[in-house]
């Protein structure tokens, strides 16, 4: 049985994130912590070099997830994502999560949690990043608005 708790610890980075209204979650199997991840609100960033953006009220950006290696492949990541969606459903209507293109495990877990692909992020020839529609123009536009990046043709 998978149990998910919101956790508030005091390590420096965690404290800084919590102060910017980010919320950490830990998934447990019995007494064993098996996975963690964050739900971000307000100012945050992704990638390297980092792209800073603001998560508007009513949205959440889910980030920085990992399942312990011994527990992978058991649906814990999608279970944790779903538990966060449920826990935050009263405060947020729209949730965003990114994965690296080559991270198949992450992509599969996100898909299993019920997310729909909004867009792909590409390096642009002229520099910077842009979003390419991946099936829904509207979602791509909303994703571009969230990240402060243009939607471009491939
Ligand atoms: C991505 C990650 C969180 C997925 O967690 P998980 O609880 O194993 O997720 P799932 O059980 O849904 O498995 C997802 C996919 O992982 C792959 N997988 C299955 N068993 C695996 C194993 N033993 N080891 C690694 N990957 C495995 C499969 O592709 C699986 O999809 P499938 O079941 O449809 O074939 C985990 O692999 C991880 O911590 N990776 C390192 C950190 C990371 O990439 N974080 C994501 C940042 S967004």
């Amino acid at each position: 049985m998978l149990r998910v708790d919101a956790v508030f610890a005091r390590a420096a980075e965690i404290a800084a994130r919590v102060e910017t209204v980010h919320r950490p979650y830990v998934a447990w199997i019995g007494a064993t912590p098996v996975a963690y991840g964050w739900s971000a609100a307000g100012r945050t960033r992704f990638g390297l070099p980092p792209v800073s953006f603001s998560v508007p009220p009513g949205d959440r950006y889910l980030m920085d997830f990992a399942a312990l290696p011994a527990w992978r492949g058991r649906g814990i990541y999608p279970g944790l994502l779903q538990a966060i969606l449920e826990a935050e459903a009263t405060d947020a209507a729209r949730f965003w999560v990114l994965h690296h293109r080559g991270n198949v495990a992450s992509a599969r877990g996100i898909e299993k949690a019920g997310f729909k692909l909004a867009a792909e992020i590409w390096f642009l020839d002229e520099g910077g990043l842009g979003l390419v529609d991946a099936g829904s123009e509207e979602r791509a536009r909303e994703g571009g608005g969230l990240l402060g990046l243009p939607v471009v043709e491939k």
Side-chain angles (χ1 to χ4, degrees):
M1 169 68 120
L2 182 67
R3 195 184 90 228
V4 174
D5 289 340
V7 176
F8 294 87
R10 288 305 299 177
E13 192 185 347
I14 294 177
R17 283 187 182 184
V18 170
E19 272 155 27
T20 52
V21 236
H22 297 356
R23 197 173 286 169
Y25 287 87
V26 174
W28 300 78
I29 301 278
T32 309
V34 293
Y36 68 85
W38 288 82
S39 171
R43 203 77 193 143
T44 188
R45 59 195 181 163
F46 80 93
L48 261 183
V51 174
S52 294
F53 63 99
S54 286
V55 183
D59 282 24
R60 293 290 183 274
Y61 169 56
L62 307 184
M63 62 177 205
D64 195 6
F65 283 81
L68 294 190
W71 295 90
R72 288 181 188 168
R74 303 183 193 200
I76 289 168
Y77 178 43
L80 174 55
L81 288 171
Q82 281 167 342
I84 295 173
L85 303 191
E86 272 172 41
E88 305 211 353
T90 50
D91 300 326
R94 204 166 53 166
F95 295 83
W96 301 91
V97 60
L98 302 180
H99 69 82
H100 284 282
R101 188 158 298 135
N103 193 341
V104 177
S106 183
R108 298 279 306 145
I110 290 168
E111 200 183 319
K112 278 187 253 171
F115 283 80
K116 298 277 174 266
L117 188 59
E120 294 177 345
I121 299 173
W122 286 78
F123 288 101
L124 304 179
D125 291 341
E126 60 272 31
L129 298 170
L131 265 64
V132 173
D133 170 4
S136 157
E137 225 175 272
E138 190 190 344
R139 278 202 298 269
R141 214 176 26 251
E142 289 173 351
L146 173 82
L147 300 174
L149 297 175
V151 178
V152 297
E153 296 290 321
K154 203 167 185 176

